[in-house]
Coordinates of all heavy atoms in Angstrom, one line a residue:
M581 N 5.3 24.4 -14.3 CA 5.9 23.7 -13.2 C 6.0 22.3 -13.5 O 5.0 21.7 -14.0 CB 5.1 23.9 -11.9 CG 5.7 23.1 -10.8 SD 4.6 23.0 -9.3 CE 5.0 24.6 -8.6
K582 N 7.1 21.6 -13.3 CA 7.2 20.2 -13.6 C 7.4 19.5 -12.3 O 8.3 19.8 -11.5 CB 8.4 20.0 -14.5 CG 8.5 18.5 -14.9 CD 9.6 18.3 -15.9 CE 9.7 16.9 -16.4 NZ 10.6 16.6 -17.4
I583 N 6.6 18.5 -12.0 CA 6.7 17.7 -10.8 C 7.5 16.4 -11.1 O 7.1 15.7 -12.0 CB 5.3 17.4 -10.3 CG1 4.5 18.7 -10.0 CG2 5.4 16.5 -9.0 CD1 3.1 18.5 -9.6
V584 N 8.5 16.2 -10.3 CA 9.3 15.0 -10.5 C 9.1 14.0 -9.4 O 9.2 14.4 -8.2 CB 10.8 15.4 -10.6 CG1 11.7 14.2 -10.7 CG2 11.1 16.4 -11.7
V585 N 8.7 12.8 -9.7 CA 8.5 11.8 -8.7 C 9.9 11.2 -8.4 O 10.6 10.7 -9.3 CB 7.6 10.6 -9.3 CG1 7.4 9.5 -8.2 CG2 6.2 11.2 -9.7
P586 N 10.2 11.2 -7.1 CA 11.5 10.6 -6.7 C 11.7 9.2 -7.2 O 10.7 8.4 -7.2 CB 11.6 10.7 -5.2 CG 10.5 11.8 -4.9 CD 9.5 11.7 -6.0
L587 N 12.9 8.8 -7.5 CA 13.2 7.5 -8.0 C 12.8 6.4 -7.0 O 12.2 5.4 -7.4 CB 14.7 7.3 -8.3 CG 15.2 5.9 -8.8 CD1 14.4 5.6 -10.1 CD2 16.6 6.0 -9.1
L588 N 13.1 6.6 -5.7 CA 12.7 5.6 -4.7 C 11.2 5.4 -4.6 O 10.8 4.3 -4.5 CB 13.2 6.1 -3.3 CG 13.1 5.2 -2.2 CD1 13.7 3.8 -2.5 CD2 13.7 5.7 -0.9
L589 N 10.4 6.5 -4.7 CA 9.0 6.3 -4.7 C 8.5 5.6 -6.0 O 7.6 4.7 -5.9 CB 8.3 7.7 -4.7 CG 6.8 7.7 -4.8 CD1 6.2 6.9 -3.6 CD2 6.3 9.1 -4.8
T590 N 9.1 5.8 -7.1 CA 8.7 5.1 -8.4 C 9.0 3.7 -8.2 O 8.2 2.8 -8.6 CB 9.5 5.7 -9.6 OG1 9.2 7.1 -9.7 CG2 9.1 5.0 -10.8
L591 N 10.2 3.3 -7.7 CA 10.5 1.9 -7.5 C 9.6 1.2 -6.5 O 9.2 0.1 -6.7 CB 12.0 1.8 -7.0 CG 13.0 2.2 -8.1 CD1 14.4 2.1 -7.4 CD2 13.0 1.3 -9.3
A592 N 9.2 1.9 -5.5 CA 8.3 1.4 -4.5 C 6.9 1.1 -5.1 O 6.3 0.0 -4.9 CB 8.2 2.3 -3.3
L593 N 6.4 2.0 -5.9 CA 5.2 1.8 -6.6 C 5.3 0.7 -7.6 O 4.3 -0.1 -7.8 CB 4.7 3.1 -7.3 CG 4.3 4.2 -6.4 CD1 4.1 5.5 -7.2 CD2 3.0 3.9 -5.6
A594 N 6.4 0.6 -8.3 CA 6.6 -0.5 -9.3 C 6.5 -1.8 -8.7 O 6.0 -2.8 -9.3 CB 7.9 -0.3 -10.1
G595 N 7.0 -2.0 -7.5 CA 7.0 -3.2 -6.8 C 5.6 -3.7 -6.4 O 5.4 -4.9 -6.2
C596 N 4.7 -2.8 -6.4 CA 3.3 -3.1 -6.0 C 2.4 -3.3 -7.2 O 1.2 -3.7 -7.0 CB 2.7 -2.0 -5.1 SG 3.6 -1.7 -3.6
A597 N 2.9 -3.2 -8.4 CA 2.0 -3.2 -9.6 C 1.3 -4.5 -9.7 O 0.1 -4.6 -10.0 CB 2.8 -2.9 -10.8
S598 N 2.0 -5.7 -9.6 CA 1.4 -7.0 -9.8 C 0.3 -7.3 -8.8 O -0.7 -7.9 -9.0 CB 2.4 -8.1 -9.9 OG 3.0 -8.3 -8.7
V599 N 0.6 -6.8 -7.5 CA -0.4 -7.1 -6.5 C -1.7 -6.3 -6.7 O -2.7 -6.7 -6.3 CB 0.3 -6.7 -5.1 CG1 -0.7 -6.9 -4.0 CG2 1.5 -7.6 -4.9
A600 N -1.6 -5.2 -7.4 CA -2.7 -4.3 -7.7 C -3.6 -4.9 -8.7 O -4.7 -4.4 -9.0 CB -2.2 -2.9 -8.1
V601 N -3.2 -5.9 -9.5 CA -4.1 -6.5 -10.5 C -5.2 -7.3 -9.8 O -4.9 -8.3 -9.2 CB -3.2 -7.4 -11.4 CG1 -4.1 -8.0 -12.5 CG2 -2.1 -6.7 -12.1
T602 N -6.4 -6.9 -10.0 CA -7.5 -7.6 -9.4 C -7.8 -8.9 -10.3 O -7.3 -9.0 -11.4 CB -8.8 -6.8 -9.5 OG1 -9.2 -6.5 -10.8 CG2 -8.6 -5.5 -8.7
Q603 N -8.5 -9.8 -9.7 CA -8.8 -11.1 -10.4 C -9.6 -10.7 -11.6 O -9.4 -11.3 -12.7 CB -9.6 -12.0 -9.4 CG -9.9 -13.4 -10.0 CD -8.6 -14.2 -10.3 OE1 -7.5 -14.0 -9.7 NE2 -8.7 -15.2 -11.1
T604 N -10.6 -9.8 -11.5 CA -11.4 -9.4 -12.7 C -10.5 -8.8 -13.8 O -10.7 -9.2 -15.0 CB -12.5 -8.4 -12.2 OG1 -13.3 -9.0 -11.2 CG2 -13.3 -8.0 -13.4
A605 N -9.6 -8.0 -13.4 CA -8.7 -7.4 -14.5 C -7.9 -8.5 -15.1 O -7.7 -8.5 -16.3 CB -7.8 -6.3 -13.9
L606 N -7.4 -9.4 -14.3 CA -6.6 -10.5 -14.8 C -7.4 -11.3 -15.8 O -6.9 -11.6 -16.9 CB -6.1 -11.4 -13.7 CG -5.1 -12.4 -14.0 CD1 -3.7 -11.7 -14.3 CD2 -4.9 -13.3 -12.8
E607 N -8.6 -11.6 -15.5 CA -9.5 -12.4 -16.4 C -9.8 -11.7 -17.6 O -9.8 -12.3 -18.7 CB -10.8 -12.8 -15.6 CG -10.6 -13.7 -14.5 CD -11.8 -13.9 -13.6 OE1 -12.8 -13.1 -13.7 OE2 -11.8 -14.7 -12.7
E608 N -10.1 -10.4 -17.5 CA -10.4 -9.6 -18.7 C -9.2 -9.5 -19.7 O -9.4 -9.6 -20.9 CB -10.9 -8.2 -18.3 CG -12.3 -8.2 -17.7 CD -12.7 -6.9 -17.1 OE1 -11.9 -6.0 -17.1 OE2 -13.8 -6.8 -16.6
R609 N -8.1 -9.2 -19.2 CA -6.9 -9.0 -20.0 C -6.5 -10.3 -20.6 O -6.0 -10.4 -21.8 CB -5.8 -8.4 -19.2 CG -6.0 -6.9 -19.1 CD -5.3 -6.3 -17.9 NE -5.5 -4.9 -17.8 CZ -6.6 -4.3 -17.3 NH1 -7.5 -5.0 -16.8 NH2 -6.7 -3.0 -17.2
T610 N -6.6 -11.4 -19.9 CA -6.3 -12.7 -20.4 C -7.2 -13.1 -21.5 O -6.8 -13.7 -22.6 CB -6.3 -13.8 -19.3 OG1 -5.4 -13.4 -18.3 CG2 -5.9 -15.2 -19.8
A611 N -8.5 -12.9 -21.3 CA -9.5 -13.2 -22.3 C -9.3 -12.4 -23.6 O -9.3 -12.9 -24.7 CB -10.9 -12.9 -21.8
F612 N -8.9 -11.2 -23.4 CA -8.5 -10.3 -24.6 C -7.3 -10.9 -25.3 O -7.3 -11.0 -26.6 CB -8.3 -8.9 -24.2 CG -7.9 -8.0 -25.3 CD1 -8.9 -7.5 -26.1 CD2 -6.6 -7.7 -25.6 CE1 -8.6 -6.6 -27.2 CE2 -6.3 -6.9 -26.7 CZ -7.2 -6.3 -27.5
A613 N -6.3 -11.3 -24.6 CA -5.1 -11.9 -25.2 C -5.3 -13.2 -25.9 O -4.7 -13.5 -27.0 CB -4.0 -12.1 -24.1
L614 N -6.3 -14.0 -25.4 CA -6.6 -15.3 -26.0 C -7.8 -15.2 -26.9 O -8.2 -16.3 -27.5 CB -6.8 -16.3 -24.9 CG -5.6 -16.6 -24.0 CD1 -6.0 -17.6 -22.9 CD2 -4.5 -17.2 -24.9
N615 N -8.4 -14.0 -27.1 CA -9.6 -13.9 -28.0 C -10.7 -14.8 -27.5 O -11.2 -15.6 -28.3 CB -9.2 -14.1 -29.4 CG -10.3 -13.6 -30.4 OD1 -11.1 -12.7 -30.0 ND2 -10.5 -14.2 -31.5
A616 N -10.9 -14.8 -26.2 CA -12.0 -15.6 -25.6 C -12.8 -14.8 -24.6 O -12.6 -13.6 -24.4 CB -11.3 -16.8 -24.8
K617 N -13.8 -15.4 -24.1 CA -14.7 -14.8 -23.1 C -14.1 -15.1 -21.7 O -13.7 -16.3 -21.5 CB -16.1 -15.3 -23.2 CG -16.8 -14.9 -24.5 CD -18.2 -15.5 -24.5 CE -18.8 -15.2 -25.9 NZ -20.1 -15.9 -26.0
P618 N -14.1 -14.2 -20.8 CA -13.6 -14.5 -19.4 C -14.2 -15.7 -18.8 O -13.6 -16.5 -18.1 CB -13.9 -13.2 -18.6 CG -14.0 -12.1 -19.7 CD -14.6 -12.8 -20.9
E619 N -15.5 -15.9 -19.0 CA -16.2 -17.1 -18.4 C -15.8 -18.4 -19.0 O -16.1 -19.5 -18.4 CB -17.7 -16.9 -18.5 CG -18.3 -16.8 -19.9 CD -18.4 -15.3 -20.4 OE1 -17.8 -14.4 -19.8 OE2 -19.1 -15.1 -21.4
D620 N -15.1 -18.4 -20.1 CA -14.6 -19.6 -20.7 C -13.2 -20.0 -20.2 O -12.6 -21.0 -20.7 CB -14.6 -19.5 -22.2 CG -16.0 -19.4 -22.8 OD1 -16.9 -19.9 -22.2 OD2 -16.1 -18.9 -23.9
L621 N -12.6 -19.2 -19.3 CA -11.2 -19.5 -18.8 C -11.2 -19.8 -17.3 O -12.0 -19.3 -16.5 CB -10.4 -18.2 -19.0 CG -10.4 -17.6 -20.4 CD1 -9.6 -16.3 -20.4 CD2 -9.7 -18.6 -21.4
T622 N -10.3 -20.7 -17.0 CA -10.0 -21.0 -15.6 C -8.6 -20.6 -15.3 O -7.7 -21.1 -15.9 CB -10.2 -22.5 -15.3 OG1 -11.6 -22.9 -15.6 CG2 -10.0 -22.8 -13.8
I623 N -8.4 -19.7 -14.3 CA -7.1 -19.2 -14.0 C -6.6 -19.9 -12.7 O -7.4 -20.0 -11.7 CB -7.1 -17.7 -13.8 CG1 -7.4 -17.1 -15.2 CG2 -5.8 -17.2 -13.2 CD1 -7.5 -15.6 -15.2
S624 N -5.4 -20.4 -12.7 CA -4.9 -21.1 -11.5 C -3.4 -20.8 -11.3 O -2.8 -20.2 -12.1 CB -5.1 -22.6 -11.6 OG -4.4 -23.1 -12.7
N625 N -2.9 -21.1 -10.1 CA -1.5 -21.0 -9.8 C -1.0 -19.6 -9.9 O 0.1 -19.4 -10.4 CB -0.6 -22.0 -10.6 CG -1.0 -23.4 -10.3 OD1 -1.4 -23.8 -9.2 ND2 -0.9 -24.2 -11.3
R626 N -1.7 -18.6 -9.5 CA -1.3 -17.2 -9.6 C -0.2 -17.0 -8.6 O -0.2 -17.3 -7.4 CB -2.5 -16.3 -9.2 CG -2.1 -14.9 -9.2 CD -3.3 -14.0 -8.9 NE -2.9 -12.6 -8.8 CZ -3.7 -11.6 -8.9 NH1 -4.9 -11.7 -9.2 NH2 -3.2 -10.3 -8.8
Q627 N 0.9 -16.3 -9.1 CA 2.1 -15.9 -8.3 C 2.4 -14.5 -8.6 O 2.8 -14.2 -9.7 CB 3.2 -16.9 -8.5 CG 3.0 -18.3 -8.1 CD 4.2 -19.2 -8.4 OE1 5.0 -18.9 -9.2 NE2 4.3 -20.2 -7.6
D628 N 2.3 -13.6 -7.6 CA 2.7 -12.2 -7.8 C 4.1 -12.0 -7.4 O 4.5 -12.5 -6.3 CB 1.8 -11.3 -6.9 CG 0.3 -11.4 -7.3 OD1 0.0 -11.4 -8.5 OD2 -0.6 -11.6 -6.4
S629 N 4.9 -11.3 -8.2 CA 6.2 -11.0 -7.9 C 6.6 -9.7 -8.6 O 6.8 -9.6 -9.8 CB 7.2 -12.1 -8.3 OG 7.1 -12.4 -9.7
G630 N 6.8 -8.7 -7.8 CA 7.2 -7.4 -8.3 C 6.2 -6.8 -9.3 O 5.0 -6.7 -9.0
V631 N 6.6 -6.5 -10.5 CA 5.7 -5.9 -11.5 C 5.1 -7.0 -12.4 O 4.6 -6.7 -13.5 CB 6.4 -4.8 -12.3 CG1 6.8 -3.7 -11.5 CG2 7.6 -5.4 -13.1
R632 N 5.2 -8.3 -12.0 CA 4.8 -9.3 -12.9 C 4.0 -10.3 -12.1 O 4.3 -10.7 -11.0 CB 6.0 -10.0 -13.5 CG 5.7 -11.2 -14.4 CD 6.9 -11.7 -15.1 NE 6.7 -13.0 -15.6 CZ 7.3 -13.5 -16.7 NH1 8.2 -12.7 -17.4 NH2 7.1 -14.7 -17.1
T633 N 2.9 -10.8 -12.7 CA 2.0 -11.9 -12.1 C 2.0 -13.1 -13.1 O 1.7 -12.9 -14.3 CB 0.6 -11.4 -11.9 OG1 0.6 -10.3 -11.0 CG2 -0.3 -12.5 -11.4
D634 N 2.5 -14.2 -12.7 CA 2.5 -15.4 -13.5 C 1.3 -16.3 -13.1 O 1.0 -16.4 -11.9 CB 3.8 -16.2 -13.2 CG 5.0 -15.5 -13.8 OD1 5.2 -15.5 -15.0 OD2 5.7 -14.9 -12.9
Y635 N 0.7 -17.0 -14.0 CA -0.4 -17.9 -13.7 C -0.6 -18.8 -14.9 O 0.0 -18.7 -16.0 CB -1.7 -17.0 -13.5 CG -2.0 -16.1 -14.6 CD1 -3.0 -16.4 -15.5 CD2 -1.4 -14.8 -14.7 CE1 -3.3 -15.5 -16.5 CE2 -1.7 -14.0 -15.7 CZ -2.7 -14.3 -16.6 OH -3.0 -13.4 -17.6
Q636 N -1.5 -19.8 -14.7 CA -1.8 -20.8 -15.7 C -3.3 -20.6 -16.1 O -4.1 -20.3 -15.2 CB -1.6 -22.2 -15.2 CG -0.1 -22.4 -15.0 CD 0.2 -23.8 -14.5 OE1 -0.7 -24.7 -14.4 NE2 1.4 -24.1 -14.1
V637 N -3.6 -20.9 -17.3 CA -5.0 -20.8 -17.8 C -5.4 -22.0 -18.6 O -4.6 -22.6 -19.3 CB -5.1 -19.6 -18.8 CG1 -6.5 -19.5 -19.4 CG2 -4.8 -18.3 -18.1
Q638 N -6.6 -22.5 -18.3 CA -7.2 -23.5 -19.1 C -8.5 -23.1 -19.7 O -9.3 -22.5 -19.0 CB -7.4 -24.8 -18.3 CG -7.9 -25.9 -19.1 CD -7.9 -27.3 -18.4 OE1 -7.2 -27.4 -17.4 NE2 -8.7 -28.2 -18.9
T639 N -8.7 -23.3 -21.0 CA -9.9 -22.9 -21.6 C -11.0 -24.0 -21.5 O -10.7 -25.1 -21.1 CB -9.8 -22.6 -23.2 OG1 -9.4 -23.9 -23.8 CG2 -8.7 -21.6 -23.4
R640 N -12.2 -23.6 -21.7 CA -13.3 -24.6 -21.6 C -13.1 -25.7 -22.6 O -13.5 -26.9 -22.3 CB -14.6 -23.9 -21.9 CG -15.8 -24.7 -21.7 CD -17.1 -23.9 -21.8 NE -17.2 -23.0 -20.7 CZ -18.3 -22.2 -20.5 NH1 -19.3 -22.3 -21.3 NH2 -18.3 -21.4 -19.5
Q641 N -12.4 -25.5 -23.7 CA -12.1 -26.5 -24.7 C -10.9 -27.4 -24.3 O -10.6 -28.4 -25.0 CB -11.8 -25.9 -26.1 CG -13.0 -25.2 -26.7 CD -13.3 -23.8 -26.1 OE1 -12.4 -23.2 -25.5 NE2 -14.5 -23.3 -26.3
G642 N -10.2 -27.0 -23.2 CA -9.1 -27.9 -22.7 C -7.7 -27.4 -23.1 O -6.7 -27.9 -22.6
A643 N -7.6 -26.3 -23.9 CA -6.3 -25.7 -24.2 C -5.7 -25.1 -22.9 O -6.4 -24.5 -22.1 CB -6.4 -24.7 -25.3
Q644 N -4.3 -25.3 -22.8 CA -3.7 -24.8 -21.6 C -2.6 -23.8 -22.0 O -1.9 -24.0 -23.0 CB -3.0 -26.0 -20.8 CG -4.0 -27.0 -20.2 CD -3.4 -28.1 -19.4 OE1 -2.2 -28.1 -19.3 NE2 -4.2 -28.9 -18.9
Y645 N -2.4 -22.8 -21.1 CA -1.5 -21.7 -21.4 C -0.8 -21.3 -20.1 O -1.3 -21.4 -19.0 CB -2.2 -20.5 -21.9 CG -3.0 -20.6 -23.2 CD1 -4.3 -21.1 -23.2 CD2 -2.4 -20.4 -24.4 CE1 -5.0 -21.3 -24.4 CE2 -3.0 -20.6 -25.6 CZ -4.3 -21.0 -25.6 OH -5.0 -21.2 -26.7
R646 N 0.5 -20.9 -20.3 CA 1.2 -20.2 -19.2 C 1.2 -18.8 -19.5 O 1.6 -18.4 -20.7 CB 2.7 -20.7 -19.1 CG 2.8 -22.1 -18.6 CD 4.2 -22.5 -18.5 NE 5.0 -22.1 -19.7 CZ 6.0 -22.7 -20.2 NH1 6.4 -23.8 -19.7 NH2 6.6 -22.2 -21.3
C647 N 0.7 -18.0 -18.6 CA 0.6 -16.5 -18.9 C 1.2 -15.7 -17.8 O 1.5 -16.1 -16.8 CB -0.9 -16.2 -18.9 SG -1.9 -17.1 -20.1
Y648 N 1.4 -14.4 -18.2 CA 1.8 -13.4 -17.2 C 1.3 -12.1 -17.6 O 1.0 -11.8 -18.7 CB 3.3 -13.4 -17.0 CG 4.1 -12.8 -18.2 CD1 4.5 -11.5 -18.3 CD2 4.5 -13.6 -19.3 CE1 5.2 -11.0 -19.3 CE2 5.3 -13.1 -20.3 CZ 5.6 -11.8 -20.3 OH 6.3 -11.3 -21.4
V649 N 1.1 -11.3 -16.6 CA 0.6 -9.9 -16.7 C 1.7 -9.1 -16.1 O 2.3 -9.3 -15.1 CB -0.7 -9.6 -16.0 CG1 -1.0 -8.2 -15.9 CG2 -1.8 -10.4 -16.6
T650 N 2.1 -8.0 -16.9 CA 3.1 -7.1 -16.4 C 2.6 -5.7 -16.4 O 1.7 -5.4 -17.2 CB 4.4 -7.2 -17.2 OG1 5.4 -6.4 -16.6 CG2 4.2 -6.8 -18.6
G651 N 3.0 -4.9 -15.4 CA 2.4 -3.6 -15.3 C 3.5 -2.5 -15.5 O 4.7 -2.7 -15.3
T652 N 3.1 -1.3 -15.9 CA 4.0 -0.2 -16.0 C 3.3 1.0 -15.3 O 2.0 1.1 -15.3 CB 4.3 0.2 -17.5 OG1 3.0 0.5 -18.2 CG2 5.0 -0.9 -18.2
I653 N 4.0 1.9 -14.8 CA 3.5 3.0 -14.1 C 3.8 4.3 -15.0 O 4.9 4.5 -15.4 CB 4.1 3.2 -12.7 CG1 3.7 2.0 -11.9 CG2 3.6 4.5 -12.1 CD1 4.3 2.0 -10.5
R654 N 2.8 5.0 -15.2 CA 2.9 6.3 -16.0 C 2.5 7.4 -15.1 O 1.4 7.4 -14.5 CB 2.0 6.2 -17.3 CG 2.2 7.5 -18.1 CD 1.3 7.4 -19.4 NE -0.1 7.6 -19.0 CZ -1.1 6.9 -19.3 NH1 -0.9 5.8 -20.0 NH2 -2.3 7.2 -18.9
S655 N 3.3 8.4 -15.0 CA 3.0 9.6 -14.2 C 2.5 10.7 -15.1 O 3.1 11.0 -16.1 CB 4.2 10.0 -13.4 OG 3.8 11.1 -12.5
E656 N 1.4 11.3 -14.7 CA 0.9 12.5 -15.5 C 0.9 13.7 -14.6 O 0.5 13.7 -13.5 CB -0.5 12.2 -16.0 CG -0.6 10.9 -16.9 CD -2.1 10.6 -17.2 OE1 -3.0 11.3 -16.7 OE2 -2.3 9.7 -18.0
E657 N 1.2 14.8 -15.3 CA 1.2 16.1 -14.5 C 0.0 16.9 -14.9 O -0.4 17.0 -16.1 CB 2.5 16.9 -14.9 CG 2.6 18.2 -14.2 CD 3.8 19.0 -14.7 OE1 4.7 18.3 -15.2 OE2 3.8 20.2 -14.5
H658 N -0.7 17.4 -13.9 CA -1.9 18.2 -14.2 C -1.6 19.6 -13.6 O -1.7 19.9 -12.5 CB -3.1 17.6 -13.4 CG -3.5 16.3 -13.9 ND1 -4.2 16.0 -15.0 CD2 -3.2 15.0 -13.3 CE1 -4.3 14.7 -15.2 NE2 -3.7 14.1 -14.2
T659 N -1.1 20.5 -14.5 CA -0.6 21.8 -14.1 C -1.7 22.6 -13.6 O -1.5 23.4 -12.7 CB 0.0 22.5 -15.3 OG1 -0.9 22.5 -16.4 CG2 1.3 21.8 -15.7
S660 N -3.0 22.5 -14.1 CA -4.1 23.3 -13.6 C -4.4 22.9 -12.1 O -4.8 23.8 -11.3 CB -5.3 23.1 -14.4 OG -5.7 21.8 -14.4
E661 N -4.1 21.7 -11.7 CA -4.4 21.3 -10.4 C -3.2 21.2 -9.5 O -3.2 20.9 -8.3 CB -5.1 19.9 -10.4 CG -6.4 19.9 -11.1 CD -6.9 18.5 -11.4 OE1 -6.4 17.5 -10.8 OE2 -7.9 18.3 -12.1
L662 N -2.0 21.4 -10.2 CA -0.7 21.3 -9.5 C -0.5 20.0 -8.7 O -0.2 20.0 -7.6 CB -0.5 22.5 -8.5 CG -0.4 23.9 -9.2 CD1 -0.3 25.0 -8.2 CD2 0.7 23.9 -10.2
Q663 N -0.9 19.0 -9.4 CA -0.7 17.6 -8.8 C -0.3 16.6 -9.9 O -0.5 16.9 -11.0 CB -2.0 17.2 -8.1 CG -3.2 16.9 -9.0 CD -4.4 16.5 -8.2 OE1 -4.4 16.5 -7.0 NE2 -5.4 16.1 -8.9
S664 N 0.3 15.5 -9.4 CA 0.7 14.5 -10.3 C -0.1 13.2 -10.0 O -0.5 13.0 -8.9 CB 2.2 14.2 -10.1 OG 2.6 13.2 -10.9
Q665 N -0.5 12.5 -11.0 CA -1.3 11.3 -10.9 C -0.6 10.1 -11.6 O -0.1 10.3 -12.7 CB -2.7 11.5 -11.5 CG -3.5 10.3 -11.5 CD -4.9 10.5 -12.2 OE1 -5.2 11.6 -12.7 NE2 -5.7 9.5 -12.2
S666 N -0.5 9.0 -10.9 CA 0.2 7.8 -11.4 C -0.9 6.9 -11.9 O -1.9 6.7 -11.3 CB 1.0 7.1 -10.4 OG 2.1 7.9 -10.1
T667 N -0.7 6.3 -13.1 CA -1.6 5.3 -13.6 C -0.9 4.0 -13.9 O 0.2 4.0 -14.5 CB -2.2 5.8 -15.0 OG1 -2.8 7.1 -14.8 CG2 -3.2 4.8 -15.5
I668 N -1.4 2.9 -13.5 CA -0.8 1.6 -13.7 C -1.5 0.9 -14.9 O -2.7 0.8 -14.9 CB -0.9 0.7 -12.5 CG1 -0.2 1.4 -11.3 CG2 -0.2 -0.7 -12.8 CD1 -0.3 0.6 -10.0
S669 N -0.8 0.5 -15.9 CA -1.3 -0.1 -17.1 C -0.8 -1.6 -17.1 O 0.3 -1.8 -16.7 CB -0.9 0.6 -18.4 OG -1.3 1.9 -18.4
Y670 N -1.6 -2.5 -17.6 CA -1.3 -3.9 -17.6 C -1.4 -4.5 -19.0 O -2.3 -4.1 -19.8 CB -2.2 -4.7 -16.7 CG -2.1 -4.2 -15.3 CD1 -3.1 -3.4 -14.8 CD2 -1.1 -4.6 -14.4 CE1 -3.1 -2.9 -13.5 CE2 -1.0 -4.1 -13.1 CZ -2.1 -3.3 -12.7 OH -2.0 -2.9 -11.4
A671 N -0.6 -5.5 -19.3 CA -0.7 -6.3 -20.5 C -0.6 -7.7 -20.2 O 0.3 -8.1 -19.4 CB 0.3 -5.8 -21.5
A672 N -1.4 -8.6 -20.8 CA -1.3 -10.0 -20.6 C -0.6 -10.7 -21.8 O -0.9 -10.4 -22.9 CB -2.7 -10.6 -20.4
F673 N 0.2 -11.7 -21.5 CA 1.0 -12.4 -22.5 C 0.8 -13.9 -22.2 O 0.9 -14.3 -21.0 CB 2.5 -12.1 -22.5 CG 2.7 -10.6 -22.7 CD1 2.8 -9.8 -21.7 CD2 2.8 -10.1 -24.0 CE1 3.1 -8.4 -21.9 CE2 3.1 -8.8 -24.2 CZ 3.2 -7.9 -23.2
C674 N 0.4 -14.7 -23.2 CA 0.2 -16.2 -22.9 C 0.9 -17.0 -24.0 O 1.0 -16.7 -25.1 CB -1.3 -16.5 -23.0 SG -2.3 -15.7 -21.7
L675 N 1.5 -18.1 -23.5 CA 2.2 -19.1 -24.3 C 1.5 -20.4 -24.2 O 1.1 -20.8 -23.1 CB 3.6 -19.2 -23.9 CG 4.5 -18.0 -23.9 CD1 5.8 -18.2 -23.3 CD2 4.7 -17.5 -25.4
T676 N 1.4 -21.2 -25.2 CA 0.8 -22.5 -25.1 C 1.6 -23.4 -24.2 O 2.8 -23.3 -24.3 CB 0.5 -23.2 -26.5 OG1 1.8 -23.3 -27.2 CG2 -0.5 -22.4 -27.3
K677 N 1.0 -24.2 -23.5 CA 1.7 -25.1 -22.5 C 2.2 -26.4 -23.2 O 1.6 -26.9 -24.1 CB 0.8 -25.4 -21.4 CG 1.5 -25.8 -20.2 CD 0.5 -25.8 -19.0 CE 1.3 -26.3 -17.8 NZ 0.4 -26.5 -16.7

């Protein structure tokens, strides 16, 4: 059996992806992208819009970055349980300011 998620539901979930990014997840993904420790970063000016979150980062050494996190939704089918599960994945991207 194949479960199909209606397009409208998928679009509604996609619109909520950036809001679902917790501050901790944002810090961890940004630290990974910049090869730094989360405690060495200061995140400011967070703006959530659709599936993207824009923000600014300053390192303890003073380097500044404009960053964004974007999310994607992946739906998985579990035939043994006859249910579908959606997973939101995020990636952080940073540019020097």
Side-chain angles (χ1 to χ4, degrees):
M581 172 191 282
K582 185 173 184 179
I583 299 172
V584 178
V585 178
L587 179 60
L588 186 56
L589 177 60
T590 302
L591 292 174
L593 290 172
C596 298
S598 70
V599 177
V601 179
T602 65
Q603 185 68 20
T604 301
L606 191 70
E607 292 167 355
E608 289 173 354
R609 282 156 179 82
T610 304
F612 180 81
L614 296 175
N615 196 27
K617 296 178 184 175
E619 59 269 15
D620 292 338
L621 305 175
T622 301
I623 295 176
S624 61
N625 299 329
R626 177 179 174 159
Q627 296 181 333
D628 296 314
S629 59
V631 296
R632 181 175 162 145
T633 298
D634 293 282
Y635 55 100
Q636 294 178 8
V637 176
Q638 182 168 341
T639 66
R640 188 174 288 186
Q641 294 79 18
Q644 295 183 359
Y645 299 90
R646 289 185 315 217
C647 302
Y648 70 93
V649 169
T650 187
T652 59
I653 297 176
R654 183 181 75 230
S655 183
E656 299 175 355
E657 180 182 340
H658 300 280
T659 54
S660 62
E661 300 170 10
L662 295 176
Q663 66 182 7
S664 180
Q665 177 180 1
S666 293
T667 304
I668 301 174
S669 302
Y670 302 99
F673 302 93
C674 296
L675 303 170
T676 56
K677 199 169 177 185

